[in-house]
Amino acid sequence: ASETALKEEFINKGFNIVDISVATGKIDVSNAYRIADLTDTGAREIGRKLGAEVVIKGKAFAKEGPRTAGSSVASYLADITASAIRVDNGAVIASSRGHGVARHISEVSGGTEALEKASKEMAEKIIEQITQKWSSEVTTGGIIQMTVKGATYSDLTKFKNLLQQRVRGIKSIYQRSFEGGVAVLDIEAKGNAQTLADEISTKDFSPLRIN
């Protein structure tokens, strides 16, 4: 119920949604990720396989509230918490919660209605945070994580210098790690990862040979 309500809200705001319930038959999802307490790493791995840029991960539950004596109608309470995680670098770009209350003669219908209300309340907040974050990144820049393979430390240093010299929009480059010829860089740049990748693909970094 919560997932359906969230998808409706995101679609209504113009987001392109990858429905994991449909796609899981086409990809291999590890049994380790089929658990209630899914880690951020597990969520990112599923999102990566689905080609998503952002994963929404959270928990929702509903319970019966106080019941009026002699009445067949009961109250139902629902709460949901969720966060939006960037698949490329694991950054949490939004986080929110919602609460819903419903009254119904049916336990299933009452719980579902409460979950839908909680989800819609939460969705409004988290969508606003995501759009604000993306708008800010377009105008002022954001952090894009890049993995560089097959480089010596000397080549990596040259590559970082060439990136800043030849690729538009790059403000700063931060080296997070370098081990076994593999480096992880955090690049502060305008636009998104696709924009940066497109820029890099048009540049010649010869004689460097890195991936």
Side-chain angles (χ1 to χ4, degrees):
S2 297
E3 184 179 358
T4 299
L6 287 178
K7 285 188 289 189
E8 289 178 354
E9 293 300 311
F10 274 86
I11 290 172
N12 288 339
K13 293 295 184 180
F15 286 81
N16 294 320
I17 303 300
V18 181
D19 188 346
I20 191 171
S21 62
V22 174
T24 47
K26 302 177 183 178
I27 65 170
D28 179 26
V29 178
S30 168
N31 286 332
Y33 296 153
R34 299 180 186 274
I35 55 178
D37 293 317
L38 180 64
T39 64
D40 288 1
T41 300
R44 289 175 62 200
E45 180 63 25
I46 293 172
R48 190 176 294 111
K49 290 181 178 181
L50 295 174
E53 293 182 58
V54 174
V55 173
I56 306 296
K57 178 179 80 77
K59 289 184 178 181
F61 67 92
K63 63 180 180 180
E64 183 175 326
R67 180 185 291 269
T68 303
S71 173
S72 59
V73 177
S75 62
Y76 297 91
L77 313 174
D79 289 280
I80 182 172
T81 59
S83 56
I85 305 165
R86 280 184 51 163
V87 172
D88 59 353
N89 62 11
V92 176
I93 61 174
S95 180
S96 187
R97 63 182 61 203
H99 179 73
V101 179
R103 290 180 57 81
H104 207 282
I105 192 173
S106 165
E107 179 179 358
V108 174
S109 298
T112 298
E113 186 177 331
L115 285 169
E116 289 174 346
K117 289 181 178 180
S119 301
K120 289 181 178 180
E121 178 184 283
M122 188 276 292
E124 291 181 4
K125 301 174 186 176
I126 208 166
I127 287 173
E128 182 179 0
Q129 292 177 42
I130 291 173
T131 52
Q132 286 180 349
K133 181 66 175 178
W134 281 353
S135 297
S136 174
E137 289 182 357
V138 169
T139 56
T140 62
I143 299 296
I144 299 169
Q145 190 171 95
M146 174 188 293
T147 301
V148 181
K149 300 179 181 179
T152 64
Y153 195 84
S154 176
D155 287 342
L156 179 63
T157 301
K158 294 175 183 178
F159 179 64
K160 290 190 293 182
N161 290 334
L162 289 174
L163 277 177
Q164 290 190 297
Q165 293 170 12
R166 300 181 182 181
V167 179
R168 294 177 299 175
I170 291 182
K171 294 182 177 181
S172 302
I173 299 177
Y174 309 97
Q175 184 176 314
R176 295 187 61 186
S177 64
F178 180 76
E179 185 176 354
V182 178
V184 177
L185 306 177
D186 281 345
I187 300 177
E188 185 179 359
K190 288 186 177 181
N192 55 27
Q194 185 62 57
T195 301
L196 179 62
D198 291 344
E199 277 286 321
I200 292 175
S201 68
T202 64
K203 308 302 178 183
D204 182 9
F205 295 100
S206 298
L208 297 178
R209 296 179 61 87
I210 53 181
N211 301 315

